[in-house]
Amino acid sequence: MSRLLALCLLLTALPALAKPPRLTLFITVDALGTDLLLRARPRLKGGLKQLLDSGAFYPYAHYEYAEARTAPGHTTLVTGANPWRHGIVDNRVVNRTTGRPERVFTDPAHPVLEAPLSSDDVSPANLMAETLADRLRLSTRERGKAVALSGKARSAIPLAGKLGQAYWYDETVGKFVTGTWYTKALPAWLVAFNTRTAPASWFGKEWTLLRSPSEYAGEDDRPYEGDFFEMGRTFPHPLTGGLPSPGPQSYSAFAISPLSQDLVVQAAKAAIEGEGLGRDEVPDLLAVSFSAVDRVFHQYGPHSWEAQDTLYRLDKAVGDLVAAAERAAGGRNNLLVVLSADHGGAAVPEYWAASGMTARRVDPLRLSEELTQALRARFGPELTATVEELDVYLGGKALEGGKVDGAAVRRAAATWLARHPAVAVAVASDDLYSAPDVAGLVTPLRRGYYPGRSGDVLFVVKPFHVISAVPTGTNHGTPHAYDRQVPVVFAGRGVRSGTYSREISTTDVAPTVAALLEMGTPSSAEGEPRYEAIGTGR
């Protein structure tokens, strides 16, 4: 056989060259921890079930840093990096100049459009790493589009990165908005959408059970559930916010309810049509983050009827969204779907305690006051300590004027915290990279530390201890498994389906998506593609 003939036979035996999907649908669900999803899975019937059954399902992905929160979680998913690289350490940080907490995506130079009273996150200026949206835009010479929508600004902004477009629901005006970083005026399709489907039209309606009461475990009315915006603790939940007519409180009540998930899907459909996503061979990205699971989780807890109903409604909403994306891409062979979560969450601590666990609600305001008093007793009255989740920010004239040794104050604060009955480990920023890795908890603190934004002292509470400034509901934000463990699903073009029980890092998500899109990995990524999930997908 001649060499030429052999080469021809070899080439005809090779599969056709692959091409990236026309559209990638990147779904994040705020607070969809692995435990919550697996508990609901037997009762799922819609889009979530289809993705879990037909995609590459990783139940045991985890965040490698300590503060499992919304802004850093979304940023890690799309950069493949931990906060020590991407710089988004928490939802809020303390401004070193004013001494006051502010949102991590604060940017006075780029205000929110059409929401003058908003104090929300506004731009990706503080984002220090490249995202999937940025890489897609650059790799396609800005022909590929990247659009992100969410019920929260701190979710939409990292998903869009610096080169995409971000839109989010603003509770002060009850509509989707954006910031001047992205555009000087809302696009026509969004103006039309806001006019047509304003949440004011939901005023006076109620959040009722989607299914029969027999399909909900436990009791509807449980101690330590919250009652924000006069929604009540039991079904049905009114969505008026206690107002006689639509206003910010009713818009917030609507945002808490899972009915807001349907509004996000409708907005995504409007974006698909308005931006022409998936219409040609140039790959586009549509990133959608559902926020209601987190809001319900905080107010009612993950074992509540409200949380269960929200998952049932999410199951339906995801199915509707995926179907719309399939139509836009010209079929599922042209579509890649990715689903994950920014963090998990703790049960209501009183629920844990009643079940026999050593659980406790830790008030950060009281902790701040007690620590401040202890430091003042040793170093003088001109010192302050502010606890922001797992960060302690130290301030006051004594430190600002150099009257006391800053390192000594930081180490004293860490020593005091380490002795607190609710704290597992505490370390001053001076010692973060030299301190022993106590119980494996210092390494997550290191990965979440970014100089200038993180606190002067970092700490981790003990398992089943929940930092919460209110006496009801619950929270998240620790390196314990219930907070940091989340599902990851890849489905559609190029994916080899199956359930993969191995533990992976959430930093692997962005490199895997980049590989499926046949483009370079975001520049600061620490993870690697999950090669076992990459196949023909056809």
Side-chain angles (χ1 to χ4, degrees), residues 88-345:
I88 306 303
V89 299
D90 200 351
N91 296 339
R92 301 195 309 175
V93 297
V94 171
N95 185 308
R96 301 283 183 174
T97 301
T98 65
R100 298 175 181 175
E102 65 182 24
R103 296 177 186 270
V104 74
F105 290 116
T106 292
D107 180 6
H110 295 94
V112 176
L113 288 170
E114 301 192 13
L117 299 180
S118 178
S119 59
D120 214 336
D121 298 286
V122 293
S123 94
N126 289 333
L127 178 57
M128 310 308 294
E130 184 182 48
T131 68
L132 283 170
D134 299 332
R135 180 96 310 264
L136 175 70
R137 293 280 290 156
L138 292 172
S139 67
T140 61
R141 299 182 182 180
E142 301 188 8
R143 294 180 299 154
K145 297 180 179 180
V147 179
L149 299 113
S150 177
K152 295 180 181 178
R154 60 180 174 269
S155 303
I157 289 169
L159 292 178
K162 292 188 174 182
L163 303 181
Q165 295 290 318
Y167 305 100
W168 57 87
Y169 177 76
D170 189 288
E171 295 174 38
T172 65
V173 293
K175 62 183 180 180
F176 278 85
V177 300
T178 189
T180 55
W181 173 285
Y182 298 104
T183 183
K184 303 305 179 185
L186 295 184
W189 64 263
L190 186 57
V191 173
F193 175 80
N194 281 333
T195 302
R196 184 175 67 250
T197 57
S201 64
W202 295 81
F203 185 83
K205 296 185 178 180
E206 294 181 323
W207 170 17
T208 60
L209 289 175
L210 181 66
R211 299 183 183 179
S212 165
S214 62
E215 295 193 53
Y216 298 79
E219 302 295 330
D220 184 11
D221 189 11
R222 305 181 316 139
Y224 302 106
E225 291 185 353
D227 180 13
F228 297 104
F229 305 109
E230 299 191 25
M231 295 178 68
R233 286 173 27 180
T234 58
F235 283 94
H237 295 286
L239 302 180
T240 62
L243 298 177
S245 59
Q249 292 96 313
S250 68
Y251 301 148
S252 293
F254 173 78
I256 290 174
S257 81
L259 304 184
S260 63
Q261 296 174 151
D262 297 329
L263 184 70
V264 172
V265 172
Q266 293 171 28
K269 289 180 179 179
I272 288 172
E273 179 65 24
E275 298 290 345
L277 301 179
R279 286 184 182 174
D280 56 35
E281 297 301 318
V282 180
D284 295 324
L285 172 67
L286 174 63
V288 178
S289 179
F290 292 100
S291 305
V293 173
D294 179 76
R295 289 181 164 124
V296 169
F297 155 83
H298 278 289
Q299 179 160 330
Y300 298 103
H303 294 89
S304 63
W305 278 25
E306 287 79 5
Q308 295 171 63
D309 194 71
T310 301
L311 262 292
Y312 294 155
R313 292 178 180 274
L314 175 69
D315 187 31
K316 183 175 179 294
V318 167
D320 192 11
L321 177 61
V322 172
E326 282 186 4
R327 290 192 297 271
R332 64 181 58 190
N333 285 340
N334 297 319
L335 177 69
L336 171 65
V337 181
V338 185
L339 183 142
S340 191
D342 53 353
H343 55 76

Side-chain angles (χ1 to χ4, degrees), residues 26 28-29 31-33 60-78 81-83 86 340-344 444 447 478-481 483-488 503-509:
F26 195 108
T28 57
V29 182
L32 184 64
Y60 304 114
H62 70 279
Y63 286 95
E64 297 179 317
Y65 53 87
E67 297 192 54
R69 308 277 289 167
T70 296
H74 280 81
T75 308
T76 291
L77 286 173
V78 294
N82 289 300
H86 63 59
S340 191
D342 53 353
H343 55 76
R447 291 195 180 108
T478 75
H480 302 310
D483 280 349
R484 72 169 188 157
Q485 194 173 77
V486 297
V488 170
E503 187 176 46
I504 66 170
S505 169
T506 51
T507 60
D508 295 338
V509 173

Side-chain angles (χ1 to χ4, degrees), residues 512-524:
T512 304
V513 175
L516 289 164
L517 287 176
E518 299 184 13
M519 66 182 189
T521 300
S523 60
S524 296

Side-chain angles (χ1 to χ4, degrees), residues 46-71:
L48 278 178
K49 173 181 169 55
Q50 293 172 9
L51 289 178
L52 298 180
D53 291 347
S54 65
F57 176 34
Y58 292 87
Y60 304 114
H62 70 279
Y63 286 95
E64 297 179 317
Y65 53 87
E67 297 192 54
R69 308 277 289 167
T70 296

